Amino acid sequence: MILITGDFCPYYRVEHLIENKQYDKIFSDVLPIIRSADYSITNFETCVASTNINPIHKCGPNLRCGINAIEALKWAGFDCITLANNHFRDYGDLGVAETLNTCKSCSLDYVGGGNNIEEAQKTLIKKLNGRDFAFINICEHEFSIATETEGGSNPLNPIAQFYEINKVKDIVDYVIVIIHGGHEHFQLPSPRMQETYRFFIDSGADIIVNHHQHCYSGYEIYKGKPIFYGIGNFCFDHYTKRNSIWNEGYMVNLNFENGVSFDIIPYIQCNDNPLIQLMKGEKFNHFLTKLNELNSIIINPQRLKQEYYNWVNQNDIDYKVAVTPWQYRYLVSAFVRNLLPTLVSRKRYRLLYNFIACESHRDRLLNMLRTKIYK
């Protein structure tokens, strides 16, 4: 059996427990499940970085932890961590190197990250119970992507992944693709995600598992193969997140005795207490009802598209702010409350749309923005 879990980020109350090496209090109910699997994997949604290392400049928070976090995962029974996510490079090359070195010192496998793009793109091949498995780990483009000279994560690139899947599928029994991407706090994939993940199955992958959204999503069986569109946070404490979808997720337990079968194991994490507890009773029944509802939307691409565009149209304020000329906090606040005009003409919106929608224009726009950020 192979167990795959979502985002592990040792913050707030969990960080305190890890500093005091009270690992058993964190993993609680799920510890026997982790240890009983032949191979257990979690996403390391942070990096190991010493206090004297400076963070990179990026959008969003810079996350880091100490080496005890890796030791806690090893103690719990995890065999591998995925590093293709939007926080692995939060503390630059030094944080990347310290994370990799800590994994090696703890004899913990990793995939999806490296000291350069060549290392980050390497597929992990493992023999488990007489079967060969290929693990490919990728993430959407944010500030963590590795380059030829900088460490970081393996980027989502369907063309590159097509060739990689085809290269390894003839030398292994199963290809498992683990992806970090999607819209935060939205419990469905976008139509683009569904199209891309189905393409990976068409390319030869056997299982797709996604995380990043800080909430669980549904799954579908496409051409006889499972695609999990979001499994939620595994252990990610946050003082503003209680009694919400942030605190619910599920583990995927894969079995390969007779083809591919799986069990979904739902839990509640870092809610009233900083631990992971299996769902029971009414909570469990509500989870199953919601999961079935999500699945019914996912298998209907037209309905999925409608739900997606309804959600993005209701949650587009950050993007409207990004293109308005108002910069100062009070002016932006007034703009959000519709007290100030956008001052952006339809002509300018058409120009921006063309620069982003057209691949050649987008290449040039990205190059210009990159030089402004990193010069």
Side-chain angles (χ1 to χ4, degrees):
M1 294 186 297
I2 294 176
L3 182 75
I4 301 178
T5 76
D7 300 345
F8 174 82
C9 184
Y11 258 44
Y12 299 107
R13 297 173 297 175
V14 172
E15 180 181 22
H16 179 73
L17 291 174
I18 285 179
E19 286 175 351
N20 290 283
K21 299 195 175 185
Q22 296 175 293
Y23 306 149
D24 58 318
K25 293 185 177 180
I26 301 167
F27 298 101
S28 188
D29 289 357
V30 301
L31 191 61
I33 300 171
I34 299 168
R35 291 181 171 175
S36 65
D38 297 310
Y39 202 68
S40 296
I41 305 171
T42 195
N43 178 57
F44 196 59
E45 184 79 342
T46 181
C47 65
V48 177
S50 303
T51 55
N52 61 341
I53 298 177
N54 293 324
I56 65 169
H57 296 289
K58 58 173 288 191
C59 298
N62 296 80
L63 304 180
R64 69 175 171 188
C65 63
I67 61 174
N68 283 358
I70 296 287
E71 293 175 353
L73 292 174
K74 184 67 176 181
W75 176 90
F78 282 102
D79 303 287
C80 178
I81 61 172
T82 54
L83 297 174
N85 59 62
N86 54 308
H87 290 288
F88 177 47
R89 189 180 157 74
D90 276 4
Y91 283 79
D93 285 340
L94 294 177
V96 166
E98 192 168 348
T99 305
L100 299 179
N101 290 335
T102 304
C103 289
K104 292 171 185 175
S105 68
C106 290
S107 299
L108 191 67
D109 291 342
Y110 60 83
V111 64
N115 289 303
N116 52 56
I117 188 65
E118 184 179 1
E119 289 185 11
Q121 290 176 330
K122 287 183 179 178
T123 296
L124 177 65
I125 307 291
K126 296 293 294 186
K127 182 178 285 291
L128 304 168
N129 291 335
R131 296 180 179 87
D132 293 313
F133 294 85
F135 297 95
I136 298 172
N137 181 216
I138 52 182
C139 65
E140 293 184 3
H141 290 70
E142 292 198 47
F143 291 85
S144 64
I145 301 304
T147 69
E148 292 181 0
T149 58
E150 295 175 323
S153 298
N154 184 20
L156 170 67
N157 180 334
I159 296 174
Q161 275 88 60
F162 168 82
Y163 286 117
E164 185 64 19
I165 292 169
N166 271 263
K167 185 176 77 172
V168 300
K169 71 177 183 177
D170 292 330
I171 62 172
V172 299
D173 297 293
Y174 296 99
V175 178
I176 300 175
V177 181
I178 303 175
I179 309 171
H180 196 75
H183 297 275
E184 294 187 353
H185 314 300
F186 179 51
Q187 287 189 275
L188 288 168
S190 69
R192 172 195 58 80
M193 291 170 64
Q194 184 174 61
E195 180 181 45
T196 303
Y197 297 2
R198 286 182 172 186
F199 171 71
F200 289 153
I201 295 293
D202 291 337
S203 301
D206 297 287
I207 299 145
I208 311 293
V209 180
N210 184 83
H211 39 57
H212 170 66
Q213 305 98 316
H214 302 305
C215 59
Y216 69 85
S217 182
Y219 65 90
E220 67 173 334
I221 306 301
Y222 174 71
K223 296 186 176 179
K225 299 179 179 181
I227 304 175
F228 303 93
Y229 287 103
I231 58 178
N233 295 320
F234 175 60
C235 182
F236 199 149
D237 193 26
H238 200 292
Y239 66 93
T240 66
K241 310 292 185 181
R242 299 286 186 270
N243 300 304
S244 69
I245 54 176
W246 177 282
N247 307 105
E248 299 179 353
Y250 60 87
M251 300 178 285
V252 176
N253 208 8
L254 300 165
N255 193 299
F256 301 90
E257 288 302 317
N258 297 296
V260 179
S261 61
F262 60 87
D263 294 310
I264 284 176
I265 307 170
Y267 55 79
I268 298 171
Q269 64 89 29
C270 297
N271 199 27
D272 298 327
N273 298 296
L275 49 80
I276 308 164
Q277 293 178 297
L278 295 176
M279 279 190 192
K280 299 175 183 177
E282 191 59 34
K283 277 280 187 182
F284 180 79
N285 293 333
H286 176 76
F287 167 84
L288 290 181
T289 299
K290 181 63 179 180
L291 188 66
N292 288 331
E293 177 188 330
L294 295 170
N295 292 348
S296 69
I297 297 172
I298 288 169
I299 62 173
N300 185 335
Q302 286 303 117
R303 188 179 173 196
L304 176 62
K305 184 181 294 186
Q306 181 182 7
E307 294 285 345
Y308 170 73
Y309 283 112
N310 286 342
W311 184 83
V312 295
N313 289 334
Q314 294 170 11
N315 295 273
D316 63 354
I317 190 63
D318 289 341
Y319 301 89
K320 289 179 178 177
V321 169
V323 298
T324 183
W326 306 116
Q327 297 294 320
Y328 297 105
R329 183 174 51 146
Y330 297 111
L331 293 177
V332 169
S333 178
F335 167 73
V336 169
R337 299 199 305 271
N338 295 318
L339 300 178
L340 289 175
T342 65
L343 297 184
V344 179
S345 66
R346 287 186 179 272
K347 182 178 180 180
R348 177 58 60 87
Y349 277 126
R350 285 196 295 269
L351 181 66
L352 290 172
Y353 174 82
N354 192 40
F355 278 2
I356 295 171
C358 171
E359 291 80 358
S360 295
H361 284 310
R362 185 166 66 246
D363 290 343
R364 294 177 63 183
L365 178 63
L366 287 172
N367 181 69
M368 183 276 292
L369 292 172
R370 190 181 298 112
T371 57
K372 295 296 183 183
I373 293 171
Y374 296 113
K375 69 176 182 179

